[in-house]
Amino acid sequence: MYPLSKKQQDNNKFDRNGNFSLWYNKYIPLNNKFEASDNNGNKDNRIEFYHKKYNSIAKQSGNFLKNKHCEQINFCETYAKNNNYKRIVITAELKTPLITGIGETHPSETSMIFDHNIGVSYIPATSIKGITRFAHILSLFLDENGNLKDKYKDLDKIDLTKEDIPDIFGGDKNIENKIETYKGNVIFLDAYPVNVPELKVDIMNPHYGDYYNGEKPPADYLEPKPIKFLTVKENATFVFRAVTKTEIAKQTQEAFVKAITEEGVGAKTALGYGIFEVIDYNEPESLQKDYKRYKKENMTDEEKDAIEKEKFIEEVKTLTKESTSMNFYFDKWQKDEKLKGDREIAKMFKDIVRKKKSNGEFSKQYEIVAEILGINIQKKSTQEIQTNKIKDEKVKEKMMKYIQKAVISKKDLKKISKYKNMFPELYKQLKKLKNN
């Protein structure tokens, strides 16, 4: 039987889909004695039943798990960038089975923690912080051989408030015999497997159960009572993340690594459970690809605008004064309402647009750039413009006379060459003339 109303039982679609965490904590079957059991009322087979159900449900959680990783990566990236913190990323492979939440309340007496929304096993940040703090304390007082360091051997007790522990993890600190409470400078995140992990059924076999229950004295005739429980199978890869103040990042990471590789995470670490091996200090390549896609799908309008601007700037960087596409990019810039007044882009165009026209006036493009950058340019007066026009006409007449004579000296051709951009066609004709 299921402890649910008939309507809920009829709507139960957990055979093939759903959230395993919800099923495991709310929908497991009971036998007629209200004991947790398998689907046939057998309480001795309930753990195997849970394992089978996990295998049929949890695989569909893969996409949700990817999103969780992307959210954590985004948090670490954003927080570290805006708050002078440094990211710590440790990708590690599980070398021994992992037990999480075995003591949590559950009808089967032995439990396991699953993410409430995703339905996969994970390691809570509180557990990670606790074991990392413990590993850091050991590194402070014990040498490489596990013996107490010399400077602490003559002390009756060790005062943790005088060490750097509160600076990293928070707590009371003794400053000149005055206790002050510190806030920790490390933010630990829950650790998740890269992929939906495999579970396996493990067993502990207490031989004196009746003695532990206070019913009989310990003796060899007492029968062992195997207790089964779920564990995360070894070889699963987890990603551990934290953000920490830059000045304490080194000792934090060292303690982090010591915690997961030597002390172990979760329950029964004294028996060798929960030991990891570090395989990288970066995000797994598969998650990096997922994060790029996640960022693209979840970009704000401001982030999209920033990317478009960066892309446009990279294109403008390739331009020179001789680039045939310079006018195209300048017009594109001015047609974009979000970019047309941007000073950074204006500075780039300042060095490549044509500053003045042949008549001595500032070009329209340069005037636009100058206005954005606040460059004071004085336009020529009407009288100056008229004077230049007269000069231009005189130069033109002079060039025409040479053409009519059909001869020009090298010296005169050199003098007239400074007007070649003003009257290109006339200059071409002059160059073809026979030199005298």
Side-chain angles (χ1 to χ4, degrees), residues 196-253:
V196 177
E198 290 186 54
L199 302 186
K200 72 175 186 179
V201 178
D202 212 327
I203 187 172
M204 47 185 162
N205 203 16
H207 285 64
Y208 305 111
D210 293 333
Y211 164 68
Y212 297 140
N213 293 330
E215 298 175 4
K216 297 179 180 179
D220 290 339
Y221 65 82
L222 295 178
E223 294 185 4
K225 292 184 179 180
I227 300 175
K228 298 175 183 179
F229 56 94
L230 291 173
T231 65
V232 179
K233 191 176 181 180
E234 52 268 61
N235 298 324
T237 301
F238 278 70
V239 182
F240 297 85
R241 301 183 181 95
V243 285
T244 171
K245 285 287 188 181
T246 306
E247 57 268 23
I248 59 170
K250 185 176 183 294
Q251 56 263 50
T252 302
Q253 180 165 301

Side-chain angles (χ1 to χ4, degrees), residues 143-190:
D143 60 24
E144 294 179 355
N145 298 318
N147 300 317
L148 192 65
K149 294 179 180 178
D150 292 338
K151 66 177 181 178
Y152 297 110
K153 286 182 178 180
D154 296 331
L155 299 179
D156 294 331
K157 64 177 182 178
I158 298 175
D159 188 357
L160 299 183
T161 64
K162 292 184 178 180
E163 305 296 337
D164 67 353
I165 300 167
D167 298 323
I168 301 175
F169 303 97
D172 293 338
K173 185 172 184 179
N174 189 327
I175 301 177
E176 297 179 353
N177 296 322
K178 183 181 179 181
I179 299 298
E180 294 185 11
T181 301
Y182 274 58
K183 178 182 177 181
N185 286 310
V186 183
I187 301 174
F188 292 93
L189 278 68
D190 298 331

Side-chain angles (χ1 to χ4, degrees), residues 205-355:
N205 203 16
H207 285 64
Y208 305 111
D210 293 333
Y211 164 68
Y212 297 140
N213 293 330
E215 298 175 4
K216 297 179 180 179
D220 290 339
Y221 65 82
L222 295 178
E223 294 185 4
K225 292 184 179 180
I227 300 175
K228 298 175 183 179
F229 56 94
L230 291 173
T231 65
V232 179
K233 191 176 181 180
E234 52 268 61
N235 298 324
T237 301
F238 278 70
V239 182
F240 297 85
R241 301 183 181 95
V243 285
T244 171
K245 285 287 188 181
T246 306
E247 57 268 23
I248 59 170
K250 185 176 183 294
Q251 56 263 50
T252 302
Q253 180 165 301
E254 289 175 352
F256 213 149
V257 171
K258 179 178 174 63
I260 65 176
T261 61
E262 298 180 22
E263 304 305 326
V265 182
K268 294 187 176 294
T269 54
L271 298 178
Y273 284 81
I275 299 295
F276 285 84
E277 179 182 346
V278 175
I279 57 179
D280 201 353
Y281 291 97
N282 294 296
E283 299 287 350
E285 187 175 341
S286 62
L287 293 183
Q288 292 182 35
K289 293 179 180 178
D290 291 333
Y291 183 59
K292 287 182 179 179
R293 184 168 55 250
Y294 169 87
K295 285 283 285 184
K296 187 174 181 180
E297 293 173 352
N298 294 276
M299 279 192 298
T300 63
D301 291 339
E302 290 77 10
E303 289 173 328
K304 291 178 181 177
D305 292 342
I307 289 176
E308 287 300 317
K309 175 183 173 180
E310 184 178 347
K311 181 180 178 182
F312 184 75
I313 286 176
E314 290 301 316
E315 292 173 346
V316 175
K317 283 181 180 179
T318 65
L319 302 178
T320 63
K321 290 184 178 181
E322 291 75 28
S323 298
T324 55
S325 56
M326 198 277 291
N327 289 336
F328 167 79
Y329 280 103
F330 193 93
D331 292 341
K332 182 180 179 181
W333 174 43
Q334 288 304 296
K335 289 177 181 178
D336 192 322
E337 293 297 326
K338 295 177 181 177
L339 297 179
K340 63 186 297 184
D342 189 271
R343 289 179 57 84
E344 184 179 358
I345 299 175
K347 287 179 181 178
M348 297 179 67
F349 274 115
K350 174 179 174 291
D351 297 326
I352 57 177
V353 297
R354 184 182 175 190
K355 187 173 183 178

Side-chain angles (χ1 to χ4, degrees), residues 387-426:
T387 302
N388 287 332
K389 285 183 178 180
I390 295 173
K391 289 181 180 179
D392 293 346
E393 286 299 321
K394 287 182 178 181
V395 171
K396 186 177 181 181
E397 288 177 7
K398 190 174 183 179
M399 295 174 77
M400 291 294 294
K401 286 180 180 180
Y402 282 121
I403 293 172
Q404 289 172 2
K405 290 179 180 180
V407 65
I408 186 172
S409 68
K410 290 183 178 180
K411 184 178 180 180
D412 290 337
L413 181 62
K414 187 176 181 180
K415 287 180 180 180
I416 213 79
S417 64
K418 61 182 178 181
Y419 301 104
K420 62 182 179 181
N421 292 328
M422 192 180 302
F423 305 106
E425 293 300 324
L426 293 177

Side-chain angles (χ1 to χ4, degrees), residues 76-93:
C76 291
E77 185 180 86
T78 305
Y79 199 95
K81 179 171 60 178
N82 297 335
N83 296 275
N84 193 32
Y85 272 65
K86 183 177 180 181
R87 288 186 292 172
I88 293 177
V89 179
I90 302 172
T91 301
E93 182 179 313

